[in-house]
Amino acid sequence: MKYYLIVGEASGDLHASNLMKALQKNDPAAEFRFFGGDLMAAVGGTLVKHYKDMAYMGFIPVLLHLRTIFRNMDFCKQDIVGWQPDVLILVDYPGFNLKIAEYIKAHTRIPIFYYISPKIWAWKEYRIKNIKRDVDELFSILPFEVDFFQKHSYPIHYVGNPCVDAVDGYQQAYSEDFAQFVTRNKLGSKPIVALLAGSRKQEIKDNLSRMIEASRAFPEYQFVIAGAPGIAPEFYRAYMGENAEIVFGQTYDLLSHATAALVTSGTATLETALFRVPQVVCYYTAAGKLVSFLRRHILKVKYISLVNLIAGREVVAELVADGMTVENVKAQLARILPGAEGREQMLKGYESLINLLGEAGASDRATSQMIECLRQKKNKSSRSK
C-alpha cells in the first residue's frame, strides 16, 4: 500500500520513522511519501519537504512567513491528490495537518488517520468539530485522551507511548559507562546535570541563559547541554558562556549518565522521566505575567509537562512564564539532587507514571490497528458497491 505521512518537528520525525518501520514489517510492499525528516528518509521512500523548512514558532515568525506556510500547504494538498495514497497519516503538528485533513476529506476519498493526536484538551477544544468531520481514525499516545475524546462521542485508539519504545530499545543496546561517556566527549569527572533547553531557537534563547546562570550555584556539578538537531554550536555559545559543555546527537546518552536535569517542556520531559532522571521543567516566555494570566484563564489543564498531565498530579516542578526565574530554578534543582528531600518522592512518581503508560510496542500496536481499520474500510466499501 501507499502511505503519505506529514510531520512538522524532530519528535514527529522520530515517531513517524518507527511507525514506518512497523508498517514495513506488516506490509513489505509499503511505499512511503512524506513531509518529514532525516529519520524517516533513512527508512525509505520519498522525502518531499523537510520539516526544518516549515518549523515556525511564535506569532511574529509565523506572521512573517505566512506566504511560505500557505505555499507549503497548497503544495502538500496537490501532492497528496496527485499521488493518491491508500491512506494519509498525520502526525501531531495540528495547525498545518488539520488544514490538510479538511481539504483531503472534502476533495478525495483517501482515508485520513491521525497519529499522536492534537492536544485540544489543553486549548482550542473547538477543533473537535474539525477532527470529527475530517479524521477517520485517531491513534493516541496519551492514556488520558481516551476519556477526553469519549466525552465528545469520538472513540479513539490508545496504542501506548512511542517514547517507551524509543527509550526501551535504546537502553537494551547502550552499554557505555560514565567514565567512557565523559572521556569520549572530553567532559570532566563531576556528576552531570543535563540541560535540555528545547529544539527551536526561540526556546533555547529564552531558557538556556537562565539555566546557565542558575548552574553557577552548583560548582560540584558539571552542566551539559543536549544540542538540538539543526542548531549550530555557534548559536548555543551566545547563551551558554563558559559554565557548560555541549554534546550533539547524544540526548539519550546524556540522560543515561545524568544525576538531574533542567528540561524545557515537551516530549523531553517524558523521556527524562523514562530514564528516571529527576528534573525541573523550565519554560520561560516574554511578558511572563501576561502569559501566566492567559494560562490560568485560557488553558483547560493544570499542567504543561507530559509527566504531570499523564500522572494527573504534580510529579515534577513546573517553572513557567514569570515563574521561570533563576532563583526558582536554583531552589527546585536543589530539591532533587542526591540526598535532597524531593528526589526519592519524584522517582516514586515516575514509577507510577511508567505503569500508566504501559508496555513498549506502541508503533507495532498502531500499525496493527491502522491496517485493520483500512481492511474494514475496504470491506465496507466493497459491500456498498
Side-chain angles (χ1 to χ4, degrees), residues 9 11-12 29 34 44 64 87 90 104 109 113 127 162 187 205 228 315 325 338 344-345 360:
E9 57 189 359
S11 62
F34 47 89
L64 291 174
V87 61
L90 309 172
I104 297 302
R109 297 175 62 86
F113 291 176
R127 280 178 165 172
L187 301 173
K205 178 182 176 182
V315 174
T325 66
E344 286 306 314
Q345 183 180 352

Side-chain angles (χ1 to χ4, degrees), residues 50-71:
H50 203 288
Y51 70 81
K52 292 177 185 174
D53 299 326
M54 307 193 302
Y56 303 107
M57 181 182 177
F59 178 76
I60 299 300
V62 168
L63 192 63
L64 291 174
H65 293 90
L66 270 179
R67 184 174 295 182
T68 301
I69 292 169
F70 287 137
R71 187 164 57 243

